[in-house]
């Protein structure tokens, strides 16, 4: 048995598994674990026969070195998966900002993927972005990105650069700015409504701000959401492009 190539296949499996399991696209909790393992094994086999030279083997001095190689390969895949998780779930941040502006800050639903409570609007936007991602074949491109890493950084050669912290901050900042961009129409309309209500209350002090303010903000918020959804679907292309760009940024940081 060629143990060198078997070790190489194991390291490749860990890299693929890190991305698949940590990704919100492939690693959802309602997918059976046996299906995830089988999918990771299938992707690993395709990558192995396509990208690994027949004579390539992993050489290590002792077991500890090989364990460290396994950990680095797994973390490499997890980092790439976390970036996709960050950009796919920026809708929850945008949804929280929208719900607070509409007066739904205390309303939430349970997300089975993360097992936490998420804003209602954020859950709707998250479903929309996931459906759009699969609809445009983004999952295929994500797998191609993982495949391309095998050429630039072969299995067993993962390094951790000091630039990874800077790259992580840049990626997080980019995703947060995109979340604000998604929520900005609702935030802007809410501010305009508050200004208008302030003018009305100053003109007619007898009106009860609570009886007309909150219903008006909710009504305008729902109208803006209905108008915003088609625009958001078009904006997802920008989100996906930024996600792939961030994957390249993090990959460059890992390469040093």
């Amino acid at each position: 048995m060629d143990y060198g190539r078997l070790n190489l296949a194991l390291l490749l499996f860990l890299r693929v598994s890190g991305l698949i399991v940590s990704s919100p696209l492939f690693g959802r909790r309602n997918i059976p674990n046996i299906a995830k393992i089988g999918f990771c094994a299938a992707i690993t086999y395709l990558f192995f026969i396509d990208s690994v030279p027949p004579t390539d083997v992993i050489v290590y001095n002792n077991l500890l070195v090989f364990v460290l190689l396994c950990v680095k390969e797994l973390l490499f895949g997890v980092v790439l998966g976390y970036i996709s998780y960050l950009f796919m779930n920026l809708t929850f941040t945008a949804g929280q900002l929208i719900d607070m502006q509409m007066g739904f800050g205390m309303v939430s639903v349970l997300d089975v993927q993360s097992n936490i409570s998420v804003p209602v609007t954020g859950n709707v936007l998250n479903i929309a972005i996931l459906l759009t991602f699969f609809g445009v074949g983004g999952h295929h491109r994500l797998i191609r990105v993982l495949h391309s890493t095998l050429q630039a950084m072969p299995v067993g050669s993962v390094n951790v650069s000091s630039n990874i912290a800077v790259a992580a901050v840049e990626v997080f900042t980019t995703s947060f700015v995109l979340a604000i961009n998604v929520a900005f129409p609702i935030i802007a309309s809410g501010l305009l409504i508050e200004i208008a209500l302030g003018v009305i209350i100053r003109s007619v002090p007898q009106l009860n701000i609570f009886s007309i303010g909150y219903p008006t903000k909710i009504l305008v918020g729902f109208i803006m959401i209905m108008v915003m959804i088609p625009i958001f679907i078009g904006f997802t292309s920008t989100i996906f492009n930024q996600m792939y760009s961030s994957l390249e940024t993090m990959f460059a940081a890992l390469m040093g």
Side-chain angles (χ1 to χ4, degrees), residues 63-250:
L63 181 60
L64 179 60
V65 174
F66 182 71
V67 170
L68 291 177
L69 288 176
C70 292
V71 171
K72 289 195 294 184
E73 289 293 337
L74 181 62
L75 289 179
F76 180 83
V78 169
V79 168
L80 297 184
Y82 178 74
I83 293 176
S84 65
Y85 179 87
L86 194 63
F87 279 87
M88 289 292 105
N89 288 350
L90 63 82
T91 52
F92 293 139
T93 303
Q96 185 65 45
L97 295 174
I98 293 173
D99 285 357
M100 290 179 62
Q101 191 64 42
M102 292 177 57
F104 287 168
M106 299 298 293
V107 182
S108 61
V109 295
L110 180 65
D111 178 39
V112 296
Q113 168 66 14
S114 55
N115 200 26
I116 60 175
S117 296
V118 296
V120 176
T121 307
N123 193 48
V124 173
L125 295 177
N126 186 254
I127 294 174
I129 195 174
L130 287 176
L131 291 177
T132 305
F133 188 78
F134 283 107
V136 300
H139 53 299
H140 296 156
R141 185 175 176 182
L142 187 62
I143 294 176
R144 286 197 297 268
V145 168
L146 179 61
H147 180 265
S148 65
T149 64
L150 300 177
Q151 307 298 327
M153 185 180 293
V155 177
S157 62
V158 175
N159 294 313
V160 179
S161 171
S162 58
N163 298 326
I164 190 172
V166 178
V169 172
E170 180 181 347
V171 170
F172 180 82
T173 303
T174 301
S175 65
F176 185 73
V177 170
L178 288 174
I180 295 178
N181 289 337
V182 172
F184 184 77
I186 309 297
I187 296 175
S189 63
L191 292 176
L192 292 176
I193 291 297
E194 290 182 357
I195 293 174
L197 289 175
V199 173
I200 293 174
I201 294 302
R202 292 287 293 180
S203 303
V204 188
Q206 294 81 5
L207 291 178
N208 187 348
I209 182 63
F210 295 103
S211 62
I212 64 172
Y214 287 112
T216 302
K217 292 177 66 175
I218 293 174
L219 177 61
V220 173
F222 278 126
I223 294 175
M224 288 299 300
I225 288 176
M226 288 188 293
V227 174
M228 186 188 75
I229 289 295
I231 301 175
F232 172 72
I233 298 299
F235 185 70
T236 54
S237 61
T238 301
I239 298 176
F240 300 152
N241 290 333
Q242 287 291 340
M243 181 181 70
Y244 297 128
S245 177
S246 297
L247 285 170
E248 295 177 358
T249 300
M250 186 62 69

Side-chain angles (χ1 to χ4, degrees), residues 11-68:
L11 293 175
L12 179 57
F13 177 79
L14 291 174
R15 178 182 293 194
V16 173
S17 300
L19 172 63
I20 298 300
V21 174
S22 61
S23 170
L25 309 170
F26 308 107
R28 301 188 68 85
R29 293 191 177 186
N30 54 356
I31 300 177
N33 291 330
I34 188 65
K36 296 178 186 177
I37 295 174
F39 183 64
C40 292
I43 296 297
T44 300
Y45 175 74
L46 294 176
F47 285 179
F48 189 82
I49 62 177
D50 179 68
S51 302
V52 178
T55 58
D56 199 1
V57 296
I58 292 294
V59 179
Y60 54 93
N61 298 326
N62 52 60
L63 181 60
L64 179 60
V65 174
F66 182 71
V67 170
L68 291 177

